[in-house]
Each structure stands twice: as C-alpha cells, then as structure tokens.
Amino acid sequence: MLKKLIAALMFIGFAIAAQAETLRVHSPGDGFLNLRTGPGSGYAIIMEMDHGSYVDTYERAGNWVRVRHESGAQGWAYRKHMRKLVSNTNQRTVNSPGDGYLNLRTGPGSNFAIIRQMYHGQQVWILERRGSWVRVQHSSGAKGWAYSKYLR
C-alpha cells in the first residue's frame, strides 16, 4: 500500500514538474482551436478555445499537447496553433489615433517593407530595441519592426 502511495505521489510530482510552459492559442483564421479528448483530430471535441486565450502544457504526443485551458478545461490540442508568450513587462499598445494604424516592417526603418498594419489599441510585445525602432511581436504572432513613438 505504501509503495502504491509513493508511486502515485511521484507521478503527481512528475506531472507538475512536466508543466513546460504557458502558451497562447493562435488561430486567427477560424478564431478558435479545438480542445479534444485525445491527441488526434479523430477524438471528440471538448470545447473551442478562443484565439488569444491561454493554456498550460503538460505532455506532448507528436504534434499534439495535453493542456489545461484558462477556463479550467483539460484536453489535447494541436501544437502548431499555439505560440510562446513574451513577457508582459514588455507589452505595449499601438497608439496611432491619426490614421488608425502603425506599420509593422521587415527592418528598423521606414524604408523597409511593410509586413502588416497594426491597428490602434492592438497589443505588441517588445523583443529588441534599435534607437527609436523596436522589434515586436504583434498579438497575431507576426514579428517585425515598429517606430516606438507610436507605442504606449
């Protein structure tokens, strides 16, 4: 009996230690990612996790990850549709009330190509700084450079 209890406690400790990271659901096209009962698309859907919601990971099976959603629901999700978090201490908001958007560019300068437009009020995370330019990760997952004057 004692051996079974110790084995169970070791398993629980391993499961807690195995919690690798917190990820963000990234499925802007559909707006959700299915949480399933097992690691594959043939398993039943538990719920639709909204784009931008958060999950804690516990276990991996190929391209699938066992997660606990911020709602408390647990199950399996396809890892391709999740992104690593960037520290909230570097989180900023696009502040471009004039024309309503800020360009995300391939490099630190207005002569670089535009990747996308980031709209007033959207969130970015600062990854790197070069003078008045910052390399950011947009809430969509896109990474590029933005002029820091228009971030707050």
Side-chain angles (χ1 to χ4, degrees), residues 44-62:
I45 297 170
I46 296 169
M47 67 176 285
E48 293 178 346
M49 300 182 292
D50 290 333
H51 171 71
S53 60
Y54 298 93
V55 297
D56 291 324
T57 65
Y58 292 98
E59 174 181 3
R60 196 167 191 152

Side-chain angles (χ1 to χ4, degrees), residues 77-98:
Y78 195 59
R79 175 63 176 88
K80 177 182 173 185
H81 298 291
M82 292 181 245
R83 298 290 187 268
K84 291 185 178 185
L85 298 179
V86 183
S87 170
N88 282 344
T89 59
N90 291 327
Q91 186 175 2
R92 299 290 187 273
T93 303
V94 174
N95 184 28
S96 187

Side-chain angles (χ1 to χ4, degrees), residues 4-61:
K4 286 183 181 180
L5 178 60
I6 291 171
L9 289 173
M10 286 176 63
F11 176 76
I12 291 169
F14 175 74
I16 291 169
Q19 180 179 346
E21 59 192 337
T22 299
L23 301 173
R24 184 174 47 82
V25 172
H26 180 75
S27 188
D30 295 336
F32 66 91
L33 174 62
N34 289 325
L35 181 66
R36 296 182 177 272
T37 57
S41 59
Y43 288 88
I45 297 170
I46 296 169
M47 67 176 285
E48 293 178 346
M49 300 182 292
D50 290 333
H51 171 71
S53 60
Y54 298 93
V55 297
D56 291 324
T57 65
Y58 292 98
E59 174 181 3
R60 196 167 191 152

